[in-house]
Amino acid sequence: MNDRICPILYIVIPCYNEQEVLPITAPMFLQKLTDLTAAGKISPDSRVLFVNDGSKDRTWEIINELAASDAHYVGICQSRNRGHQNAVLAGLMEALHSGSCDITISIDCDGQDDINAMDEMVKKYLDGAEVVYGVRSRRDTDTFFKRFTAEGFYHVMNALGADIVFNHADYRLISTRVLESFADYKEVNIFLRGMVPLVGFAHDVVTYERHERLAGESHYPLSKMLALAFDGITSL
């Protein structure tokens, strides 16, 4: 159990061309902070941290508007599009270097990952877990091709000896203790779902159902999924 009664949580959200969905999901993330704070689970100093990954639409403008409307919203902007994994990592390191963060939860902006799973993630952290993985209970919303290739990828990685959590993407809680150790990694081709388990520390799992995207279009086509898989296999 962490000594701090109410840990400061940073919800880290990578954003790339999310002008359609951001106005919908941003209030949901803020409400989750409010609910967890009211329940005495996290500190009122917790934040929603958006990472603009070189968006070409109004995403960064919207993030600035959100930050001006409520101090719980903060954002950083990358100089160019560096990809989802680097955007997540940039947000995690920003939270770590803020000097006031105890735990982070990374989650995509599109509303597909069940935001209510955060309650159980924080609970498991308070019970002693330093990393809590969000794991999909099923893949009903995927096409057959995506489901087949995704599950095949996890099997291949495990067969190659990688310590990777089946059906886990990048929805996870990480404590600052873990991030401090993780910051020492100098990997260039980032594959977080394979790198985080290498750091060690006590971990747990929360299962959840994934939903359809709330608005806009996916920015992770087959080419990017294959590139991520290639990075996972070659660099890990």
Side-chain angles (χ1 to χ4, degrees):
M1 172 94 177
N2 193 286
D3 290 337
R4 186 191 294 271
I5 296 175
C6 292
I8 296 176
L9 165 66
Y10 272 57
I11 302 177
V12 176
I13 308 163
C15 302
Y16 177 66
N17 292 346
E18 300 287 8
Q19 65 178 14
E20 285 86 8
V21 76
L22 192 53
I24 300 173
T25 56
M28 295 169 56
F29 295 125
L30 181 58
Q31 186 61 51
K32 179 52 62 179
L33 280 191
T34 301
D35 293 345
L36 286 169
T37 300
K41 301 299 184 183
I42 63 172
S43 167
D45 295 324
S46 298
R47 297 288 184 265
V48 178
L49 170 60
F50 298 105
V51 182
N52 179 42
D53 187 23
S55 298
K56 299 176 181 178
D57 62 2
R58 293 188 63 252
T59 295
W60 180 235
E61 184 178 339
I62 294 172
I63 292 172
N64 277 281
E65 292 171 355
L66 290 168
S69 70
D70 194 299
H72 290 93
Y73 290 123
V74 292
I76 60 174
C77 184
Q78 302 204 113
S79 60
R80 62 178 178 85
N81 177 244
R82 296 182 55 82
H84 179 272
Q85 297 290 281
N86 281 287
V88 174
L89 181 61
L92 296 177
M93 292 300 102
E94 178 71 16
L96 173 64
H97 295 143
S98 72
S100 61
C101 175
D102 296 301
I103 51 176
T104 62
I105 295 179
S106 56
I107 186 173
D108 286 342
C109 183
D110 54 23
Q112 288 188 280
D113 295 320
D114 184 6
I115 194 172
N116 291 319
M118 291 186 186
D119 298 64
E120 188 66 17
M121 288 182 175
V122 173
K123 179 180 182 300
K124 288 182 179 291
Y125 165 74
L126 294 174
D127 287 340
E130 300 283 350
V131 178
V132 184
Y133 300 102
V135 175
R136 294 177 63 174
S137 57
R138 52 187 181 180
R139 306 189 72 100
D140 294 354
T141 57
D142 289 349
T143 62
F144 171 79
F145 177 76
K146 185 174 182 180
R147 182 167 61 250
F148 177 79
T149 53
E151 291 181 351
F153 168 73
Y154 286 110
H155 288 306
V156 169
M157 290 295 288
N158 284 325
L160 292 173
D163 184 15
I164 186 169
V165 180
F166 189 72
N167 272 344
H168 164 69
D170 288 292
Y171 187 18
R172 70 178 76 85
L173 178 150
I174 307 180
S175 73
T176 52
R177 284 189 63 209
V178 176
L179 288 179
E180 287 168 354
S181 296
F182 193 74
D184 294 333
Y185 278 74
K186 305 302 179 183
E187 182 59 62
V188 175
N189 300 313
I190 305 298
F191 183 66
L192 294 174
R193 68 191 70 173
M195 294 168 64
V196 172
L198 292 177
V199 183
F201 293 92
H203 64 273
D204 209 330
V205 167
V206 169
T207 58
Y208 68 96
E209 291 188 17
R210 203 160 194 253
H211 311 298
E212 296 290 342
R213 186 182 176 91
L214 292 181
E217 298 180 354
S218 172
H219 304 297
Y220 230 75
L222 179 61
S223 59
K224 287 189 176 181
M225 287 190 290
L226 290 175
L228 179 62
F230 182 77
D231 281 343
I233 293 172
T234 57
S235 68
L236 190 64

CSV table of all heavy atoms in Angstrom, one decimal, residues 1-8 40-41 102-103 125-130 175-177:
chain,number,residue,atom,x,y,z
A,1,MET,N,0.8,-1.2,0.0
A,1,MET,CA,0.0,0.0,0.0
A,1,MET,C,0.9,1.2,0.0
A,1,MET,O,1.8,1.4,0.8
A,1,MET,CB,-0.9,0.0,1.2
A,1,MET,CG,-1.7,1.3,1.4
A,1,MET,SD,-3.3,1.2,0.7
A,1,MET,CE,-4.0,2.8,1.2
A,2,ASN,N,0.6,2.2,-0.9
A,2,ASN,CA,1.3,3.4,-1.0
A,2,ASN,C,1.1,4.3,0.3
A,2,ASN,O,0.0,4.3,0.8
A,2,ASN,CB,0.9,4.2,-2.2
A,2,ASN,CG,1.8,5.4,-2.5
A,2,ASN,OD1,1.8,6.4,-1.9
A,2,ASN,ND2,2.6,5.2,-3.6
A,3,ASP,N,2.1,5.0,0.8
A,3,ASP,CA,2.0,5.7,2.0
A,3,ASP,C,1.0,6.9,1.8
A,3,ASP,O,0.3,7.3,2.8
A,3,ASP,CB,3.3,6.3,2.4
A,3,ASP,CG,4.2,5.2,2.9
A,3,ASP,OD1,3.7,4.1,3.4
A,3,ASP,OD2,5.4,5.3,2.9
A,4,ARG,N,0.9,7.4,0.6
A,4,ARG,CA,0.0,8.6,0.4
A,4,ARG,C,-1.5,8.0,0.4
A,4,ARG,O,-1.8,7.1,-0.3
A,4,ARG,CB,0.3,9.2,-1.0
A,4,ARG,CG,-0.5,10.5,-1.2
A,4,ARG,CD,-0.3,11.0,-2.7
A,4,ARG,NE,1.0,11.4,-2.9
A,4,ARG,CZ,1.4,12.6,-2.7
A,4,ARG,NH1,0.6,13.5,-2.2
A,4,ARG,NH2,2.7,13.0,-3.0
A,5,ILE,N,-2.3,8.6,1.2
A,5,ILE,CA,-3.7,8.2,1.3
A,5,ILE,C,-4.4,8.4,0.0
A,5,ILE,O,-5.2,7.6,-0.5
A,5,ILE,CB,-4.4,8.9,2.5
A,5,ILE,CG1,-3.8,8.5,3.8
A,5,ILE,CG2,-5.9,8.5,2.5
A,5,ILE,CD1,-4.3,9.2,5.0
A,6,CYS,N,-4.2,9.6,-0.6
A,6,CYS,CA,-4.9,10.0,-1.8
A,6,CYS,C,-3.8,10.3,-2.9
A,6,CYS,O,-3.3,11.4,-2.9
A,6,CYS,CB,-5.8,11.2,-1.6
A,6,CYS,SG,-7.3,10.8,-0.6
A,7,PRO,N,-3.5,9.3,-3.7
A,7,PRO,CA,-2.5,9.5,-4.7
A,7,PRO,C,-2.9,10.5,-5.8
A,7,PRO,O,-4.1,10.6,-6.1
A,7,PRO,CB,-2.2,8.1,-5.3
A,7,PRO,CG,-3.5,7.4,-5.1
A,7,PRO,CD,-4.0,7.9,-3.8
A,8,ILE,N,-2.0,11.2,-6.4
A,8,ILE,CA,-2.2,12.1,-7.5
A,8,ILE,C,-2.2,11.3,-8.8
A,8,ILE,O,-1.2,10.7,-9.1
A,8,ILE,CB,-1.2,13.3,-7.5
A,8,ILE,CG1,-1.4,14.1,-6.3
A,8,ILE,CG2,-1.4,14.1,-8.8
A,8,ILE,CD1,-0.4,15.3,-6.2
A,40,GLY,N,-12.7,9.6,-2.4
A,40,GLY,CA,-11.5,9.5,-1.5
A,40,GLY,C,-10.4,8.6,-2.1
A,40,GLY,O,-9.5,8.2,-1.3
A,41,LYS,N,-10.4,8.3,-3.4
A,41,LYS,CA,-9.4,7.4,-3.9
A,41,LYS,C,-8.2,8.1,-4.5
A,41,LYS,O,-7.1,7.5,-4.5
A,41,LYS,CB,-10.1,6.5,-5.0
A,41,LYS,CG,-11.3,5.7,-4.6
A,41,LYS,CD,-10.9,4.7,-3.5
A,41,LYS,CE,-12.1,3.8,-3.1
A,41,LYS,NZ,-11.7,2.9,-2.0
A,102,ASP,N,1.7,10.5,-8.7
A,102,ASP,CA,1.9,9.2,-8.0
A,102,ASP,C,1.6,8.0,-8.9
A,102,ASP,O,2.3,7.0,-8.9
A,102,ASP,CB,1.1,9.1,-6.8
A,102,ASP,CG,1.4,10.1,-5.7
A,102,ASP,OD1,2.6,10.1,-5.3
A,102,ASP,OD2,0.6,10.9,-5.3
A,103,ILE,N,0.6,8.2,-9.7
A,103,ILE,CA,0.2,7.1,-10.7
A,103,ILE,C,-0.3,7.7,-12.0
A,103,ILE,O,-0.8,8.9,-12.0
A,103,ILE,CB,-0.9,6.2,-10.1
A,103,ILE,CG1,-2.1,7.1,-9.5
A,103,ILE,CG2,-0.4,5.3,-9.0
A,103,ILE,CD1,-3.3,6.2,-9.0
A,125,TYR,N,-4.1,-0.7,-7.2
A,125,TYR,CA,-2.9,0.1,-6.8
A,125,TYR,C,-2.8,0.3,-5.3
A,125,TYR,O,-1.8,0.1,-4.7
A,125,TYR,CB,-2.8,1.4,-7.5
A,125,TYR,CG,-1.8,2.4,-7.0
A,125,TYR,CD1,-0.4,2.2,-7.2
A,125,TYR,CD2,-2.2,3.4,-6.1
A,125,TYR,CE1,0.5,3.0,-6.6
A,125,TYR,CE2,-1.3,4.3,-5.6
A,125,TYR,CZ,0.1,4.1,-5.8
A,125,TYR,OH,1.0,4.9,-5.2
A,126,LEU,N,-3.9,0.7,-4.8
A,126,LEU,CA,-4.0,1.0,-3.3
A,126,LEU,C,-3.8,-0.3,-2.5
A,126,LEU,O,-3.4,-0.3,-1.4
A,126,LEU,CB,-5.3,1.6,-3.0
A,126,LEU,CG,-5.6,3.0,-3.5
A,126,LEU,CD1,-7.0,3.5,-3.2
A,126,LEU,CD2,-4.5,4.0,-2.9
A,127,ASP,N,-4.1,-1.5,-3.2
A,127,ASP,CA,-3.9,-2.8,-2.5
A,127,ASP,C,-2.5,-3.3,-2.7
A,127,ASP,O,-2.1,-4.4,-2.2
A,127,ASP,CB,-4.9,-3.8,-3.1
A,127,ASP,CG,-6.3,-3.5,-2.6
A,127,ASP,OD1,-6.5,-2.9,-1.6
A,127,ASP,OD2,-7.2,-4.0,-3.2
A,128,GLY,N,-1.6,-2.5,-3.5
A,128,GLY,CA,-0.2,-2.9,-3.5
A,128,GLY,C,0.4,-3.1,-4.9
A,128,GLY,O,1.6,-3.3,-5.1
A,129,ALA,N,-0.5,-3.1,-6.0
A,129,ALA,CA,0.0,-3.3,-7.3
A,129,ALA,C,0.7,-2.0,-7.9
A,129,ALA,O,0.1,-1.0,-7.7
A,129,ALA,CB,-1.1,-3.8,-8.3
A,130,GLU,N,1.9,-2.2,-8.5
A,130,GLU,CA,2.5,-1.0,-9.0
A,130,GLU,C,2.2,-0.8,-10.5
A,130,GLU,O,2.3,0.3,-11.1
A,130,GLU,CB,4.1,-1.1,-8.9
A,130,GLU,CG,4.5,-1.3,-7.5
A,130,GLU,CD,4.5,0.1,-6.7
A,130,GLU,OE1,4.4,1.1,-7.4
A,130,GLU,OE2,4.7,0.1,-5.5
A,175,SER,N,2.7,3.1,-11.6
A,175,SER,CA,3.1,4.0,-10.6
A,175,SER,C,4.4,4.8,-10.9
A,175,SER,O,5.1,4.4,-11.9
A,175,SER,CB,3.4,3.2,-9.3
A,175,SER,OG,4.6,2.5,-9.4
A,176,THR,N,4.7,5.9,-10.2
A,176,THR,CA,5.9,6.6,-10.5
A,176,THR,C,7.1,5.8,-10.2
A,176,THR,O,8.2,6.1,-10.8
A,176,THR,CB,5.9,8.0,-9.8
A,176,THR,OG1,5.6,7.7,-8.4
A,176,THR,CG2,4.8,8.9,-10.3
A,177,ARG,N,7.0,4.9,-9.2
A,177,ARG,CA,8.2,4.1,-8.9
A,177,ARG,C,8.6,3.3,-10.2
A,177,ARG,O,9.8,3.1,-10.5
A,177,ARG,CB,7.8,3.1,-7.8
A,177,ARG,CG,7.8,3.7,-6.4
A,177,ARG,CD,7.6,2.6,-5.4
A,177,ARG,NE,8.8,1.7,-5.4
A,177,ARG,CZ,8.7,0.4,-5.0
A,177,ARG,NH1,7.5,-0.2,-4.7
A,177,ARG,NH2,9.8,-0.4,-5.0
